[in-house]
Amino acid sequence: MDALVTGAGGFVGNYLLQELLQEHAHVGATKLPKEYIKCKNCDILDMDLTKEYEVRKILELYKPAQIYHLAAQSSVALSWTNPELTVDVNLKGTLHLLDAVRAVENYHPRILLIGSSEEYGYLREGACPVNEQETLHPANIYAVTKACQNMIGNIYAKAYGMDILMVRAFNHIGVGQAPTFVAADFALQIAEIEAGLRPPLMRVGNLEAKRDFSDVRDIVRAYRLLMQHGRSGETYNVGSGHAVSIRELLEILVSYSMEAIVIEQDPARMRPAEIPCIQADIQKLQAVTGWKPQFSLEETLRTMLDHNRRNFRII
Ligand code: GDD
């Protein structure tokens, strides 16, 4: 097998599989039994990362040359309510994967561990845009698990000579993302208002936070390029290099609608702790891959909203 994507049943997996199929003949995709993956040219495999024997069985059987480790509990919001699941999947799961690789004889795959900009956490004054050297101050359990995953990746690369590289992905959005994330949530609310399914009132959380948003298609291209050109044991930021406030994102989406929409802050959407601004310094990524984003934020948001409108038969 040329490449295996763990957690391919999630939002990003679908895009990454399509990206990899442009280059590779034999691509594998792991998913949880309850998930569904539409990919007729992939080997689709059930694998629960919390069960080490399942991970090892798949690696022994297929020995993929490249592993994109996407599988994760990826919601910051959910990590506040279910920290144990977040630790089990993101930390123990990664250990299961790396230890299973070590256990398979004569097997030295290239592994890309997907981390998060959340690892940086509370940034010191002047550290935004943030580069990979910055000290990590994670501000929630999800961020802690991703910071630890990065450290474990480093340790295994050095101690066992494994070919592991790490990314810190900044916010990425697109069609198919669950409405637990901000852009997908707002795009859905607007389409529901337009379809007459809810009154013209949008519920929002903290609009002052600034985040670095990319189109998921740009992000998965960066992953593929890093797998090709990145250096073992290194960490790379993957983001647009620009930050916008959630208010600006909301304003772009609302400007696409003809409805007069009232905005209301919902205390349930506010988080116990929030990092004010996260913006990527992407010089390292660009130096090794030449990567540049191809989709603007406006274009991606429009695509997401129009997709919902089509689902509701508004367009
Ligand atoms: N979900 C949500 N819903 N977020 C809201 C809302 C709302 O109604 N209103 C404001 N926000 C703010 C959040 O407080 C946060 O500051 C920002 O919008 C982005 O929230 P999310 O889209 O939920 O993403 P996230 O930043 O918490 O996490 C995502 O990005 C990380 C990379 O920075 C996830 O994709 C993570 O898996 C990823 O690592």
Side-chain angles (χ1 to χ4, degrees):
M1 179 178 284
D2 301 313
L4 178 73
V5 179
T6 71
F11 159 59
V12 182
N14 176 39
Y15 289 93
L16 182 56
L17 292 174
Q18 299 316 315
E19 179 74 29
L20 296 180
L21 282 168
Q22 293 173 27
E23 186 191 350
H24 298 297
H26 193 187
V27 175
T30 80
K31 66 171 193 67
L32 291 172
K34 63 175 185 201
E35 292 173 332
Y36 171 73
I37 295 178
K38 195 174 155 201
C39 180
K40 63 179 190 321
N41 297 317
C42 306
D43 260 326
I44 297 168
L45 310 160
D46 280 345
M47 184 184 94
D48 181 344
L49 205 59
T50 62
K51 297 176 180 145
E52 189 177 358
Y53 62 91
E54 288 193 12
V55 182
R56 188 162 165 181
K57 203 173 70 188
I58 285 176
L59 295 186
E60 265 165 359
L61 203 60
Y62 293 94
K63 286 193 168 177
Q66 299 177 346
I67 301 174
Y68 291 82
H69 182 40
L70 274 190
Q73 190 303 89
S74 63
S75 162
V76 175
L78 183 64
S79 79
W80 286 107
T81 51
N82 201 340
E84 194 176 347
L85 174 75
T86 310
V87 168
D88 280 348
V89 178
N90 297 5
L91 265 186
K92 284 195 201 163
T94 299
L95 280 173
H96 289 163
L97 178 78
L98 297 181
D99 285 334
V101 167
R102 292 181 61 221
V104 178
E105 265 181 60
N106 298 321
Y107 179 46
H108 305 285
R110 171 152 261 225
I111 304 166
L112 188 70
L113 298 179
I114 311 298
S116 167
S117 57
E118 283 282 328
E119 293 171 42
Y120 293 114
Y122 295 112
L123 289 172
R124 66 185 166 83
E125 194 96 341
C128 205
V130 62
N131 71 38
E132 294 82 353
Q133 305 305 319
E134 191 61 30
T135 310
L136 306 181
H137 299 287
N140 56 69
I141 296 295
Y142 167 79
V144 167
T145 62
K146 289 293 184 177
C148 287
Q149 174 183 267
N150 180 287
M151 292 170 191
I152 291 168
N154 255 305
I155 290 168
Y156 273 52
K158 286 197 180 77
Y160 304 124
M162 293 172 74
D163 187 7
I164 304 172
L165 46 156
M166 283 72 67
V167 302
R168 294 200 179 112
F170 288 62
N171 295 61
H172 35 298
I173 60 174
V175 168
Q177 188 171 33
T180 41
F181 298 99
V182 70
D185 182 311
F186 290 177
L188 181 62
Q189 288 195 54
I190 292 175
E192 285 177 348
I193 290 168
E194 291 177 344
L197 297 172
R198 61 157 69 218
L201 174 79
M202 276 184 77
R203 296 196 185 285
V204 302
N206 176 9
L207 297 183
E208 307 318 318
K210 287 187 161 180
R211 293 290 180 271
D212 181 322
F213 289 96
S214 297
D215 189 295
V216 62
R217 293 165 288 184
D218 281 325
I219 294 280
V220 297
R221 193 163 41 81
Y223 292 169
R224 179 176 60 75
L225 291 171
L226 281 170
M227 188 62 107
Q228 277 173 4
H229 306 291
R231 283 189 48 202
S232 193
E234 293 286 326
T235 297
Y236 298 90
N237 282 343
V238 178
S240 72
H242 301 283
V244 297
S245 69
I246 305 304
R247 185 181 300 282
E248 289 171 83
L249 181 143
L250 174 66
E251 282 169 1
I252 295 170
L253 274 169
V254 169
S255 76
Y256 294 147
S257 181
M258 300 300 280
E259 302 284 332
I261 295 174
V262 176
I263 310 294
E264 191 178 86
Q265 199 164 61
D266 175 358
R269 289 168 180 258
M270 302 297 282
R271 299 186 181 171
E274 182 98 277
I275 303 153
C277 178
I278 314 180
Q279 180 184 354
D281 178 330
I282 52 172
Q283 290 180 56
K284 191 171 171 184
L285 165 70
Q286 293 188 315
V288 290
T289 63
W291 178 88
K292 279 200 183 94
Q294 288 176 350
F295 299 95
S296 69
L297 179 60
E298 287 76 8
E299 200 179 345
T300 307
L301 291 173
R302 164 76 80 175
T303 311
M304 293 171 75
L305 180 58
D306 283 349
H307 177 81
N308 290 331
R309 285 170 166 160
R310 271 192 292 278
N311 279 347
F312 293 129
R313 300 185 193 289
I314 306 168
I315 56 171

